[in-house]
Amino acid sequence: MGWHLKAICGKKKVALELGGNAAVIIDKGTDLAAAAKSVAMGANLYAGQTCISTQRIFVVNQEFEKFRDLLVKEYKALKAGNPADAAVSVGPIIDKGHFERIGSWLQEAVKGGAKLLAGGKAVDAKRNVFAATLLTGTKHSMKVDCAEVFGPIAIVEPVKDFAAAIARVNDSNYGLQAGVYTNNFQHVKMAHEELEVGGVMINSIPGFRIDSMPYGGIKDSGLGREGLKYAMEEMSEPRLIVY
Amino acid sequence: MPKATKSRKPANAANALFTPANYINGAWKKKGDGSFNTVVDKYLGKELAQIPHATAAQMEEAIAAAYASRAVVQKLSAGERSDKLEALAKLIENRADKLAMLIVQEGGKPIGYAKGEIARCVTTVRTAAAEALRFSGEITPIDFGAGAGKTAFTKRFPIGVIGAITPFNFPLNLVLHKVAPAMAVGCPVVLKPAPQAPLSAFALAAMMEEIGWPKGAFSVLLCAKPCGGIVGEGRAHRDAQLHRKRQSGLAFESDLRQEKSSA
């Protein structure tokens, strides 16, 4: 829709903040327990209905099993249900259509051989509440990997090393923000230089956003930057005077 | 016995924040094209409000009013625009609990996150108030060659009317990410909020009215498909051309490309 609007906007200036299938990398030598807690939250905040919701989790081989188990434990602590309940972090999906779409994307993955680690079903189908769901053993062609879920489904997969993780993050039509848990400075630099995204969040989930930050994506994720100062630049133009 | 009907306060917290009507050129328009956008509580399923779909002529009116308000908004000094933003931040702060509950209801967002969104809204608007004061341009050194002895600098000017189309997932903060910077630089805005969760945007319209933001410089309306005036399509070509000339910017944010938008 956004790109269609741009196409019909003629000479008007257009800013598009669209979505993505945001990824996080878990490197070796990081605090896995703390990362698992944040990633579980980042994948399910507002039932995953944010443009920078953590959808793809790539863990370097030697940490995979340990991190996966920690993550599953965090998933089990998440409460779904009534959004007015302060203990709930996974509320309803915005409407029935999206609730059903999310369920069908999960079915596609499970039928294709993906393994369920947590969730995997409706908690309250009448009220469109879907369980925080974690998958592994997915294929890139599955929608839960390559498309934007915009719901509480994430995939966790092992990767050979940090470079392979970067390649997996970049293997996407989208590029909004990425999270990187690492304490290796070379990897911080590499992430900044090689990740095809609008922003790299170190030791944080891709969903980290402070409102003054320049926020926006590349590839299919959008055009231009938000964040007050940056939006003000988009909404104004410089007029030169020479004397 | 005292009767509850004596109270003028509406029972629903949502109702206290806005009028269920499109806000066009400084007026709440309860009449639209005859059809309505029904907003429901996303968990309880009960109806929160019915907002009329604006007519094509009302969209036209909103855009024309925004266009006409450019000179008024541009006449405000940066300091005055900053003061208005600060007044808006204070109103949001004062209504934080009610606004958060509205987001819980219309968006189905868990209360902790809804309160977090309102806190971010205050930051967004305060940051815009601060940025408005230091918004300028840059000196370009040209004192050499053919430019010797000359001075060059830029000053930034508002591009004009902003058409904003916003998503449901942050029904107030992502609206403010369009509206606050536009106010800071002096651009009028015509906003079409997400049909699933538009009530926070109407609550913002009520606050814009309260702070005395120039009439016509902020309109909020929902419309049935097609509602292309905001981007200059779906109308007679002559009118479409007119829109192309008049409207200068479009800010679009959505996470639901798989859904047909009502824009």
Side-chain angles (χ1 to χ4, degrees):
Chain A
M1 189 65 209
W3 295 108
H4 168 68
L5 290 176
K6 180 178 182 294
I8 62 173
C9 267
K11 294 172 184 170
K12 281 197 283 282
K13 210 169 164 183
V14 175
L16 301 173
E17 300 301 338
L18 307 174
N21 55 353
V24 66
I25 298 173
I26 310 293
D27 197 7
K28 61 181 177 183
T30 56
D31 182 343
L32 295 181
K37 198 173 178 63
S38 299
V39 169
M41 188 272 283
N44 297 291
L45 193 161
Y46 190 30
Q49 299 173 109
T50 68
C51 23
I52 37 182
S53 187
T54 306
Q55 184 179 325
R56 300 177 298 147
I57 305 156
F58 299 119
V59 189
V60 292
N61 256 334
Q62 58 264 55
E63 306 284 17
F64 179 72
E65 287 178 11
K66 194 175 170 200
F67 182 79
R68 178 197 61 197
D69 294 347
L70 286 165
L71 191 58
V72 169
K73 205 176 124 204
E74 293 295 340
Y75 262 66
K76 293 199 169 135
L78 295 170
K79 195 177 170 197
N82 188 344
D85 176 352
V88 162
S89 54
V90 185
I93 302 300
I94 196 71
D95 59 32
K96 189 59 80 189
H98 284 287
F99 174 77
E100 285 172 355
R101 175 187 56 78
I102 289 163
S104 76
W105 287 20
L106 174 65
Q107 284 314 309
E108 180 208 48
V110 172
K111 277 182 189 156
K115 190 185 163 212
L116 262 176
L117 295 174
K121 58 182 189 309
V123 171
D124 182 346
K126 183 171 168 263
R127 297 191 165 108
N128 302 329
V129 181
F130 206 91
T133 297
L134 187 63
L135 292 165
T136 193
T138 56
K139 297 186 184 84
H140 181 60
S141 59
M142 293 173 177
K143 291 195 194 73
V144 291
D145 180 334
C146 68
E148 180 183 18
V149 174
F150 216 65
I153 300 180
I155 64 169
V156 59
E157 304 293 352
V159 285
K160 186 174 69 162
D161 55 19
F162 194 79
I166 286 187
R168 281 293 270 120
V169 175
N170 288 344
D171 189 8
S172 168
N173 290 332
Y174 300 105
L176 196 44
Q177 290 194 159
V180 179
Y181 284 85
T182 186
N183 288 314
N184 179 328
F185 185 75
Q186 287 309 317
H187 287 178
V188 170
K189 188 168 183 283
M190 196 172 154
H192 193 206
E193 287 173 359
E194 295 181 19
L195 284 172
E196 297 165 359
V197 290
V200 177
M201 307 299 126
I202 299 297
N203 288 328
S204 189
I205 50 172
F208 183 85
R209 182 176 180 192
I210 299 297
D211 294 285
S212 53
M213 274 167 40
Y215 174 74
I218 59 169
K219 301 203 269 191
D220 284 359
S221 289
L223 198 65
R225 291 293 179 272
E226 261 187 9
L228 287 311
K229 186 182 148 197
Y230 307 93
M232 287 164 69
E233 279 170 12
E234 302 270 354
M235 293 175 180
S236 63
E237 53 205 359
R239 191 178 301 159
L240 174 72
I241 182 167
V242 178
Y243 55 84
Chain B
M1 294 297 288
K3 282 197 172 179
T5 48
K6 261 192 138 183
S7 167
R8 295 185 59 206
K9 198 176 163 188
N12 190 334
N15 290 340
L17 295 172
F18 63 92
T19 306
N22 290 308
Y23 182 69
I24 299 166
N25 193 17
W28 294 92
K29 308 273 186 163
K30 292 190 173 170
K31 275 194 181 167
D33 70 359
S35 68
F36 290 85
N37 181 80
T38 303
V39 186
V40 296
D41 181 300
K42 298 301 177 289
Y43 185 73
L44 302 173
K46 66 172 182 176
E47 183 180 310
L48 296 172
Q50 281 204 326
I51 309 288
H53 284 132
T55 62
Q58 285 174 326
M59 175 58 89
E60 178 83 10
E61 185 190 346
I63 294 170
Y67 183 72
S69 75
R70 289 185 314 165
V72 183
V73 180
Q74 283 175 33
K75 256 185 211 151
L76 295 175
S77 69
E80 286 167 325
R81 296 197 303 272
S82 179
D83 287 348
K84 292 290 186 195
L85 282 157
E86 181 53 35
L88 178 60
K90 283 209 176 83
L91 279 184
I92 295 170
E93 238 170 9
N94 291 343
R95 287 170 202 182
D97 289 345
K98 281 184 178 178
L99 288 166
M101 192 45 70
L102 183 58
I103 290 172
V104 170
Q105 294 176 326
E106 71 167 339
K109 181 174 287 186
I111 180 71
Y113 298 134
K115 284 183 176 169
E117 177 173 349
I118 298 302
R120 281 182 60 186
C121 290
V122 174
T123 302
T124 299
V125 177
R126 285 235 156 92
T127 306
E131 291 290 352
L133 300 182
R134 48 182 176 245
F135 187 65
S136 58
E138 60 183 15
I139 303 276
T140 306
I142 57 165
D143 187 17
F144 45 85
K150 288 191 175 291
T151 298
F153 64 90
T154 59
K155 184 180 173 188
R156 295 196 76 95
F157 288 85
I159 59 170
V161 176
I162 304 292
I165 304 173
T166 52
F168 75 78
N169 62 343
F170 289 84
L172 191 57
N173 196 38
L174 290 183
V175 165
L176 287 167
H177 265 284
K178 321 293 176 287
V179 176
M183 290 170 74
V185 301
C187 290
V189 175
V190 177
L191 168 71
K192 193 205 81 68
Q196 300 97 330
L199 304 181
S200 300
F202 289 105
L204 173 63
M207 292 188 277
M208 295 290 272
E209 195 175 28
E210 277 183 62
I211 65 168
W213 190 244
K215 190 180 142 204
F218 182 63
S219 288
V220 185
L221 64 174
L222 285 173
C223 36
K225 287 182 268 189
C227 185
I230 200 163
V231 287
E233 69 156 359
R235 195 77 44 78
H237 289 302
R238 180 180 56 83
D239 289 349
Q241 285 305 320
L242 192 63
H243 290 307
R244 287 211 173 82
K245 254 197 236 166
R246 290 197 310 210
Q247 205 172 329
S248 314
L250 179 77
F252 176 75
E253 180 148 6
S254 174
D255 298 292
L256 294 172
R257 286 174 312 288
Q258 56 270 43
E259 178 183 77
K260 279 183 194 161
S261 163
S262 61

